[in-house]
Amino acid sequence: MRHLVTIAVAALLALVGGSGVAGADGYAPAGRPGPALTVPDLAKSLRCTADVRDATREPVLLTPATTVDSGQNFGFNYEPLFRRLGIPYCVSDSPVDPYNMGDMQVRAQYVTYGIREMHRLAGRKIAVMGHSQGGMIMRWALRFWPDTRGMVEDVIGMAGTNHGSVVVPALCVPNCAPALWQQRANSAFMKALNSGQETFPGISYTEIYSRTDEFVQPNLDDRGTSSLHGGGGTVTNVAVQDVCPLAVPEHLLIGTMDPVTSALAVDALTHAGPADPARIGRAVCGRLLMPGVDPVTGPLTFVTLTAQVAAQLTVAARRVPSEPPLACYVTADCP
C-alpha cells in the first residue's frame, strides 16, 4: 500500500511539473498554482484588435519596455505591421504604472491576466512578444502562474532582460525606480525568475539581442543576459549580427525599428517553433527600417521616444532606496 501511495505522489508531481513539496532552491515549486490576481482594473489593461476573438491564426500579446507604454513602443511599428500581415494582436499596459517603472511583480499580474483573457478570446494558444522588460516579464507569469504555460505557443523577446544587466546598477546610485532595481544582474527578482528552470516544454522561445546594446549587457554571445537555456522549451538565441554582421542597433532601436529583429519575430510567428536565422534573406541587411514604420514620421517618433526614455530614467519616475521585496508566493514556504 505504501508503495502505491509513493507511486501516486510521484505521478502527481510529474503531472503538475513540480520539483517536490518545497522548491529545491527556496523558491516555489514550478508546478504550484499561482495566487489570485489582486491588482485593480485588470480589464482596462488589455486592448485587442477585433480579429483576436476566435482567431484563425496565432495572435500576439505585445508587452512594452521600461520607461514607455505600448502605444509608444509598438504603435508606430509592430501594430501597423501586424495589421498589414493580418496578425491579430493585443497590447498589455498597467493602469497603475503606465511606463512600467514600478514593481514588476505588479506588472506581471496584468500580463498574466492578458495571457488568460487573450487565450480565452482567441480559443487557441497565443504568442507573447515584448521589448526589454516586456521581453522578459511574460516569463514571470509562466514561472509563477503555471496554468499560463498551456496557453502560450511562442515567447519572443527583443533585447529581453532575462538575467538582468550589469549596466543598470550605475543608474541606482543612490536610488532608482523599482523596476530598475529588479533588472540588475543578480537581483532577487532575477534569481527568482530563473529559479528551477528557464523555459518550459511545449513553448518556443525566440530571444533576439544585439551585441551593441548599450543597456542590456553582457550580450556578446548566447551566454549573455538575454539568452535562455534548458528547461525543456525549444529555444533560438540569436544576435542581429548573426544575420547581418555589420548591424549596430542600440537598445531602443531593437524593439522599435530594427529590420533584422522584425524579420526574426515575423519568422517565429509564421513558422512552427522558434525563429530560424537561416530563413532570413540577407536583403534585410540593406534596409534602414522595419516594415510598418513610416520613413518620414517613424524617425521623428523615435527621437521623441528617446526623450521620453531619458526623462523616465533621470527625473520623472518615482525612485526608491532598495529593491522591492519578493512576494510570498515566490517562496517555497509560502502558506
Side-chain angles (χ1 to χ4, degrees):
M1 181 68 177
R2 181 179 299 173
H3 179 63
L4 292 176
V5 170
T6 301
I7 292 175
V9 171
L12 178 60
L13 290 173
L15 178 64
V16 301
S19 57
V21 175
D25 49 7
Y27 299 103
R32 189 172 74 189
L37 303 182
T38 58
V39 294
D41 297 327
L42 284 167
K44 294 181 180 179
S45 70
L46 196 65
R47 173 174 59 85
C48 300
T49 55
D51 52 353
V52 166
R53 187 176 294 275
D54 301 321
T56 58
R57 61 187 299 179
E58 181 184 14
V60 184
L61 178 63
L62 291 167
T63 49
T66 312
T67 71
V68 295
D69 61 26
S70 63
Q72 294 167 323
N73 209 148
F74 306 118
F76 72 106
N77 42 53
Y78 283 97
E79 290 196 53
L81 175 62
F82 287 172
R83 288 194 296 268
R84 180 189 304 178
L85 297 177
I87 297 175
Y89 68 88
C90 296
V91 295
S92 170
D93 284 297
S94 169
V96 299
D97 179 26
Y99 300 128
N100 304 306
M101 301 298 290
D103 186 347
M104 292 192 296
Q105 295 172 103
V106 174
R107 178 71 182 109
Q109 291 198 45
Y110 290 106
V111 175
T112 301
Y113 169 81
I115 292 172
R116 289 171 172 170
E117 180 63 9
M118 192 171 178
H119 177 263
R120 184 189 70 81
L121 290 171
R124 61 182 298 155
K125 288 187 176 183
I126 72 168
V128 189
M129 173 177 161
H131 176 210
S132 194
Q133 177 192 143
M136 165 275 295
I137 196 65
M138 73 287 282
R139 294 186 53 238
W140 189 271
L142 294 168
R143 171 63 179 88
F144 294 108
W145 283 272
D147 66 293
T148 60
R149 296 170 201 161
M151 303 175 186
V152 174
E153 184 170 346
D154 281 284
V155 166
I156 302 172
M158 301 180 288
T161 49
N162 284 319
H163 298 90
S165 172
V166 297
V167 175
V168 173
L171 300 174
C172 293
V173 179
N175 50 38
C176 62
L180 295 179
W181 282 111
Q182 292 169 319
Q183 288 178 93
R184 294 170 303 138
N186 296 318
S187 69
F189 182 94
M190 288 299 161
K191 291 176 182 177
L193 171 67
N194 294 298
S195 63
Q197 59 194 91
E198 294 188 5
T199 71
F200 294 96
I203 301 175
S204 298
Y205 296 79
T206 299
E207 298 297 334
I208 308 163
Y209 62 94
S210 173
R211 298 188 180 109
T212 53
D213 189 324
E214 81 286 7
F215 185 75
V216 181
Q217 286 290 348
N219 252 336
L220 299 180
D221 54 34
D222 69 357
R223 295 169 295 178
T225 181
S226 292
S227 296
L228 298 175
H229 300 278
T234 306
V235 183
T236 290
N237 298 310
V238 56
V240 295
Q241 290 83 7
D242 293 336
V243 177
C244 299
L246 299 181
V248 289
E250 49 76 56
H251 182 68
L252 188 57
L253 194 64
I254 298 168
T256 55
M257 299 197 300
D258 180 57
V260 182
T261 303
S262 168
L264 288 164
V266 171
D267 184 81
L269 293 171
T270 53
H271 294 84
D276 181 355
R279 290 193 291 254
I280 307 302
R282 292 307 180 264
V284 73
C285 301
R287 297 173 187 154
L288 295 177
L289 302 172
M290 62 169 274
V293 174
D294 185 285
V296 176
T297 62
L300 296 176
T301 301
F302 184 83
V303 171
T304 302
L305 191 59
T306 302
Q308 157 84 10
V309 171
Q312 286 294 316
L313 290 178
T314 56
V315 296
R318 179 179 67 92
R319 304 170 78 91
V320 295
S322 60
E323 180 180 352
L326 292 176
C328 179
Y329 67 82
V330 174
T331 64
D333 58 356
C334 187

